[in-house]
């Protein structure tokens, strides 16, 4: 006799039942400790999909073979089936059983699976003819291992951390100095991002990564200006960037780990039907395919760090091998493209979490920081699962993706002290021999451009930059004094000559305040003013009946008008000076309703209650919709008629005998026995479902 899932749960061995319950903690409901409710939750579409996403590639392919076989028969014979490898099945079936996806249906070695899996997996003939997205030709993968020396790992990780902090500071500086217009979509254009990347001497993808992180950390925002909203530095960005550098790095890495968008798609510029702009929120999901309970990009970054951790310190594997290993562990991850994994690896290198051998730049290995971060994230996920078992069976939560304290402490040890002076050389370069203080950096950025970043920073003093700074009215003496204050040695003569030469060139044309313009409502008033001898020094010249121009500035002209007893108002074009506020965009507050879960302390008692319930309870019809769906699904598989008691919109009940055919979208479709007609019933209106006698 075929055994349903609820029957198998009731009659399974204690060890098998406990293993299932501990694996599927997300299904346990403290308010309903019954076997029927547990079986119904595991058989629901969301329960089956959560189980499937926890499978690795080998187990998933076995399960797909079982789902294809289940299209023609509810009971699947494992031995002798030409489409199922017995050795692979033997290894995968215990995992499928623990997840509640498959169970033994009798003593002759047959198995059954949850019927919802057939529609969730690629089981059709057309889908079977194509290779699955996670399948990669092993012969095309470089499986070689490279070694990385400890000194190289230490130097590269520390230089990367210092450069990451410096690049973030430089990015915010640049946006403060040159705000970028916000598009109607809320973002900024690729052209502006490319210009920003050239200025900072960073790659396009790295610049986008920093922009997204700066937005998440509220370091940049939009000017409160209805006419021209622009992306610029936040009001409190300077104080945030001048804080503890290790904490800043940890915040940067944490924001990157939790970022939902993929940098390769943003860099490409378009999805199928929509232009994508940086800093804007796409209207549609960027990932096609199976929807996971964890967003694709945070899961991909977490998986890459786990693979790097398993490679081990001092070793490196190719990017292709790492990509294949990620897909082996998470085959249904929507981020199947190699370019996405490669971009994540390059970001790991730029943040000091990974490093590459000198001769093989396409191989990647973990740094000490990367190892600590991966291990810390595993611990954080385990601790989070204790508080919220609903993240099982995948066991990954975006909320828990934060940099642990031991990683921040290790980064702090590796960071050198910030320097407050630079060496300005005769070739007009300024060299900071270590991480530079923000105050010194801001002074240098007025006169120089950043040429190279790392544990130290190289600035090139540029004639155009000096000219731009001095145009604001700075004298040569003031400029040289400001540079001498941060110089470790006496300023070179070449710099003094450049500043003096720039100043002399600027002095040839000077711009002073504009002359005053008089505007009157009545031409007679202007006639009186022009005929007044006291107004002679103003040198008024009439341009129109109501407009005259003076040879003096607005303030001096006002004094003459007041002296002649002419009442006038000094016009301010912009009105009172108002400091424009920068609005930093924050994520909308979403109230997530979390269901109560069975805690570790009560798990043993919960299992005892479930096992002590009489076996007949599984046969009793339940008043829960999930229980109805479970019984209807079983009847459809077995081609067995059922008696359905259903309530109409007025609450009146009637009984229908039906042979169910399909069950999806909250409705059951089948043939009514008495009339032979097809009917579609809403599961929400069903009161009870019982086997037909």
């Amino acid at each position: 006799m075929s055994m349903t899932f609820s029957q198998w749960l009731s009659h399974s061995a204690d060890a098998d039942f406990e293993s299932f319950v501990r694996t599927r903690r997300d299904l346990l409901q403290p308010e309903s400790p019954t076997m029927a409710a547990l079986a119904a939750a595991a058989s629901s579409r969301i329960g089956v999909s959560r189980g499937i996403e926890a499978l690795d590639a080998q187990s998933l392919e076995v399960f797909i073979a079982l789902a294809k076989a289940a299209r023609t028969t509810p009971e699947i014979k494992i031995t002798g089936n030409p489409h199922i490898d017995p050795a692979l099945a033997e290894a995968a079936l215990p995992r499928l059983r623990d997840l509640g996806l498959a169970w033994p249906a009798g003593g002759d070695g047959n198995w059954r699976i949850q019927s919802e899996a057939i529609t969730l997996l690629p089981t059709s003939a057309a889908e079977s003819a194509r290779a699955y997205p996670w399948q990669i030709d092993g012969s095309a993968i470089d499986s070689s291992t490279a070694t990385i020396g400890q000194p190289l790992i230490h130097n590269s990780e520390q230089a990367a951390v210092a450069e990451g902090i410096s690049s973030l500071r430089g990015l915010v500086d640049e946006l403060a100095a040159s705000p970028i217009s916000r598009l109607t979509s809320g973002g900024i254009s690729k052209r502006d991002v490319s210009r920003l990347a050239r200025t900072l001497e960073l790659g396009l993808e790295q610049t986008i990564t920093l922009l997204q992180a700066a937005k998440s950390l509220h370091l940049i925002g939009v000017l409160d200006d209805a006419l021209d909203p622009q992306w610029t530095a936040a009001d409190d960005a300077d104080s945030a960037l001048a804080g503890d550098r290790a904490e800043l790095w940890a915040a940067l890495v944490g924001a990157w780990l939790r970022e939902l968008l993929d940098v390769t798609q943003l860099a490409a510029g378009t999805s199928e039907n929509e232009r994508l702009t940086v800093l804007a929120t796409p209207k549609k999901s960027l990932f096609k395919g199976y929807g996971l309970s964890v967003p694709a990009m945070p899961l991909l970054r977490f998986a890459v760090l786990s693979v790097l951790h398993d490679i081990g310190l001092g070793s490196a594997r190719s990017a292709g091998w790492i990509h294949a290993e990620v897909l082996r562990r998470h085959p249904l991850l929507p981020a199947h493209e190699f370019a996405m994994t490669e971009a994540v690896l390059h970001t790991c290198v730029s943040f000091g979490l990974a490093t590459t051998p000198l001769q093989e730049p396409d191989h990647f290995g973990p740094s000490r920081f990367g190892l600590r971060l991966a291990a810390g994230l595993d611990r954080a996920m385990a601790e989070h699962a204790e508080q919220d078992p609903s993240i099982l069976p995948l066991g990954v939560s975006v909320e828990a993706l934060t940099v642990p304290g031991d990683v921040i402490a290790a980064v702090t040890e590796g960071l050198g002290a910030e320097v407050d002076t630079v060496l300005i050389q005769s070739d007009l370069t300024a060299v900071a021999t270590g991480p530079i203080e923000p105050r010194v950096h801001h002074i240098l950025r007025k006169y120089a451009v950043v040429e190279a970043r790392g544990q130290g920073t190289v600035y090139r003093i540029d004639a155009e930059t000096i000219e731009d700074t001095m145009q604001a009215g700075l004298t040569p003496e003031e400029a040289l004094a400001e540079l001498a204050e941060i110089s470790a040695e006496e300023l070179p003569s070449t710099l003094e000559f450049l500043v003096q030469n720039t100043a002399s060139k600027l002095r040839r044309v000077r711009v002073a305040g504009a002359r005053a313009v008089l505007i009157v409502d009545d031409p007679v008033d202007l006639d009186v003013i022009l005929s007044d001898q006291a107004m002679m020094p103003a040198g008024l010249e009439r341009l129109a009946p109501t407009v005259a121009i003076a040879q003096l500035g607005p303030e001096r002209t006002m004094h003459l008008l007041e002296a002649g007893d002419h009442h006038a108002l000094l016009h301010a074009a912009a009105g009172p000076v108002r400091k424009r506020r920068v609005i930093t965009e924050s994520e909308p507050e979403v109230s997530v309703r979390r269901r109560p879960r069975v805690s570790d302390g009560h798990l043993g008692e919960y299992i005892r209650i479930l096992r002590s319930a009489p076996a007949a309870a599984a046969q009793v019809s339940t008043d829960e919709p999930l229980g109805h769906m479970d019984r209807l699904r079983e009847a459809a598989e077995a081609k067995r008629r059922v008696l359905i008691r259903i309530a109409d919109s007025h609450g009146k009940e009637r009984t229908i005998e039906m042979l169910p055919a399909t069950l999806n979208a909250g409705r059951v479709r089948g043939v009514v026995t008495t009339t032979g007609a097809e009917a579609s019933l809403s599961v929400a209106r069903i009161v009870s479902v019982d086997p037909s006698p």
Side-chain angles (χ1 to χ4, degrees):
M1 178 184 170
S2 178
M3 187 181 291
T4 65
F5 182 61
S6 54
Q7 289 171 336
W8 173 78
L9 277 181
S10 300
H11 297 95
S12 60
D14 288 347
D16 291 347
F17 182 77
E18 184 171 347
S19 181
F20 162 71
V21 170
R22 291 189 179 277
T23 304
R24 295 307 304 269
R25 294 283 298 278
D26 58 313
L27 302 176
L28 306 186
Q29 302 166 18
E31 70 277 7
S32 181
T34 63
M35 201 71 79
L38 180 60
S43 303
S44 67
R45 190 174 185 85
I46 191 169
V48 174
S49 66
R50 292 289 295 273
I52 291 174
E53 70 183 40
L55 295 173
D56 61 17
Q58 184 173 300
S59 301
L60 179 62
E61 287 172 15
V62 170
F63 192 48
I64 290 174
L66 295 175
K68 289 177 181 176
R71 289 171 67 95
T72 55
T73 174
E75 291 192 25
I76 306 155
K77 193 172 184 63
I78 304 296
T79 56
N81 190 319
H83 303 293
I84 301 175
D85 186 328
L88 294 178
E90 186 179 357
L93 285 173
R95 176 64 173 163
L96 295 175
R97 183 192 63 212
D98 288 346
L99 289 166
L101 298 174
W103 65 95
D108 52 357
N110 291 349
W111 283 69
R112 297 190 66 184
I113 69 166
Q114 302 286 4
S115 57
E116 283 287 359
I118 299 173
T119 56
L120 286 168
L121 295 172
T123 56
S124 68
E127 291 168 323
S128 301
R130 297 189 293 266
Y132 301 128
W134 61 86
Q135 290 178 327
I136 298 175
D137 182 10
S139 61
I141 298 174
D142 180 2
S143 300
S144 62
T145 303
T147 58
I148 311 176
Q150 295 291 329
L152 177 60
I153 294 175
H154 291 198
N155 288 337
S156 65
E157 67 185 5
Q158 291 169 4
V161 169
E163 183 172 359
I165 297 168
S166 177
S167 298
L168 182 63
R169 285 173 170 172
L171 177 89
V172 177
D173 278 349
E174 193 60 35
L175 278 174
S178 306
I180 297 176
S181 258
R182 178 182 181 172
L183 302 178
T184 54
S185 63
I188 60 177
S189 68
K190 296 296 181 316
R191 183 180 299 171
D192 286 323
V193 178
S194 300
R195 179 184 58 76
L196 195 59
R198 286 194 301 272
T199 304
L200 297 171
E201 298 191 345
L202 298 173
L204 180 63
E205 292 183 356
Q206 191 178 358
T207 306
I208 294 173
T209 300
L210 290 175
L211 278 169
Q212 295 293 128
K215 178 188 174 186
S216 298
L217 298 174
H218 306 310
L219 296 173
I220 59 176
V222 179
L223 273 174
D224 182 16
D225 187 338
L227 294 177
D228 187 18
Q230 296 172 312
W231 281 99
T232 186
D235 295 332
D236 57 350
D238 284 345
S239 59
L241 292 170
D244 183 79
R245 287 176 293 150
E247 294 281 356
L248 179 62
W249 175 85
L252 173 62
V253 173
W256 169 71
L257 284 172
R258 294 184 296 273
E259 176 57 55
L260 304 181
L261 299 179
D262 166 45
V263 68
T264 62
Q265 290 173 309
L266 291 172
T270 58
S271 63
E272 290 183 6
N273 301 311
E274 178 188 16
R275 284 194 63 81
L276 293 178
T277 55
V278 182
L279 300 180
T281 304
K283 297 180 180 67
K284 302 173 186 173
S285 170
L286 302 183
F287 302 99
K288 309 297 181 213
Y290 187 89
L292 294 178
S293 59
V294 177
M297 290 313 298
L299 183 58
L300 175 62
R301 297 181 188 112
F302 176 78
V304 167
L305 286 171
S306 298
V307 173
L308 287 171
H309 177 274
D310 294 342
I311 290 172
L313 196 65
S315 297
R317 305 296 292 261
S318 71
W321 184 92
I322 293 172
H323 178 63
E325 179 63 15
V326 167
L327 294 186
R328 186 193 70 76
R329 299 183 185 189
H330 300 284
L332 292 176
L333 189 67
H336 282 128
E337 293 181 22
F338 170 70
M340 295 184 186
T341 305
E342 192 177 34
V344 171
L345 286 167
H346 285 303
T347 305
C348 285
V349 172
S350 68
F351 287 163
L353 303 172
T355 188
T356 58
L358 291 174
Q359 304 300 323
E360 297 175 90
D362 59 338
H363 280 57
F364 297 84
S367 69
R368 295 173 304 165
F369 301 156
L371 282 180
R372 284 177 179 266
L373 179 60
L377 289 177
D378 282 340
R379 288 194 308 273
M381 295 305 163
E383 292 169 3
H384 193 77
E386 291 178 6
Q387 305 297 323
D388 182 13
S390 65
I391 71 170
L392 296 172
L394 192 62
V396 179
S397 170
V398 176
E399 296 172 20
L401 290 175
T402 54
V403 179
D406 62 322
V407 181
I408 301 175
V411 170
T412 303
E413 291 176 16
L415 284 172
E418 289 185 319
V419 298
D420 56 1
T421 58
V422 293
L423 178 63
I424 301 178
Q425 304 176 115
S426 57
D427 62 351
L428 298 179
T429 56
V431 180
T433 54
I436 192 165
E437 270 192 357
R439 181 188 65 85
V440 180
H441 168 74
H442 284 303
I443 293 174
L444 276 170
R445 285 285 289 127
K446 290 164 60 177
Y447 302 96
V449 293
V450 177
E451 193 167 69
R453 299 179 188 275
Q455 284 179 295
T457 311
V458 178
Y459 298 82
R460 177 163 297 281
I461 297 174
D462 188 80
E464 290 182 10
T465 312
I466 287 180
E467 183 170 336
D468 290 343
T469 303
M470 295 185 70
Q471 276 178 343
L474 208 65
T475 65
E477 293 73 22
E478 290 170 337
L480 290 171
E482 202 168 26
L483 288 169
E485 182 191 348
I486 61 170
S487 177
E489 297 182 359
E490 188 178 347
L491 295 179
S493 57
T494 50
L495 176 61
E496 294 185 8
F497 173 77
L498 178 62
V499 172
Q500 294 288 358
N501 186 53
T502 303
S504 63
K505 187 167 58 176
L506 292 175
R507 283 196 199 101
R508 293 169 63 183
V509 178
R510 303 185 190 188
V511 179
R515 293 185 295 171
V517 177
L518 269 69
I519 303 173
V520 298
D521 294 332
D522 189 343
V524 175
D525 291 337
L526 189 55
D527 291 339
V528 173
I529 293 172
L530 290 173
S531 61
D532 190 345
Q533 294 297 316
M535 296 299 299
M536 289 294 291
L540 292 171
E541 178 184 350
R542 193 169 200 156
L543 301 180
T546 58
V547 180
I549 190 168
Q551 303 301 315
L552 302 176
E555 289 79 10
R556 181 68 182 134
T557 304
M558 274 293 291
H559 288 312
L560 292 174
L561 286 167
E562 289 171 357
D565 203 21
H566 301 290
H567 300 288
L569 173 69
L570 184 63
H571 176 70
V577 177
R578 180 176 68 90
K579 187 181 187 307
R580 294 190 295 177
R581 192 165 53 96
V582 177
I583 302 172
T584 52
E585 293 192 347
S586 58
E587 297 299 322
E589 289 188 12
V590 179
S591 178
V592 180
R593 184 183 172 191
R594 298 193 182 280
R595 296 181 59 183
R597 298 292 175 182
V598 180
S599 62
D600 289 350
H602 296 93
L603 185 59
E605 178 66 11
Y606 191 87
I607 293 174
R608 188 193 64 75
I609 294 172
L610 285 172
R611 297 296 278 175
S612 63
Q619 299 293 334
V620 177
S621 188
T622 173
D623 59 354
E624 296 179 2
L626 280 177
H628 300 155
M629 293 170 72
D630 189 30
R631 296 181 69 79
L632 289 168
R633 211 176 276 115
E634 298 284 358
E637 286 182 6
K639 304 290 191 291
R640 190 174 63 244
R641 291 195 298 271
V642 290
L643 290 173
I644 301 174
R645 195 151 54 95
I646 189 166
D648 62 15
S649 57
H650 301 290
K652 294 181 180 178
E653 296 182 4
R654 58 195 174 99
T655 302
I656 299 172
E657 188 180 49
M658 174 185 272
L659 179 64
T662 60
L663 183 73
N664 53 41
R667 302 188 74 84
V668 58
R669 292 171 176 80
V671 177
V672 178
T673 309
T674 54
T675 63
E678 290 190 1
S680 173
L681 307 177
S682 170
V683 175
R685 293 191 182 277
I686 294 176
V687 178
S688 66
V689 178
D690 296 294
S692 182

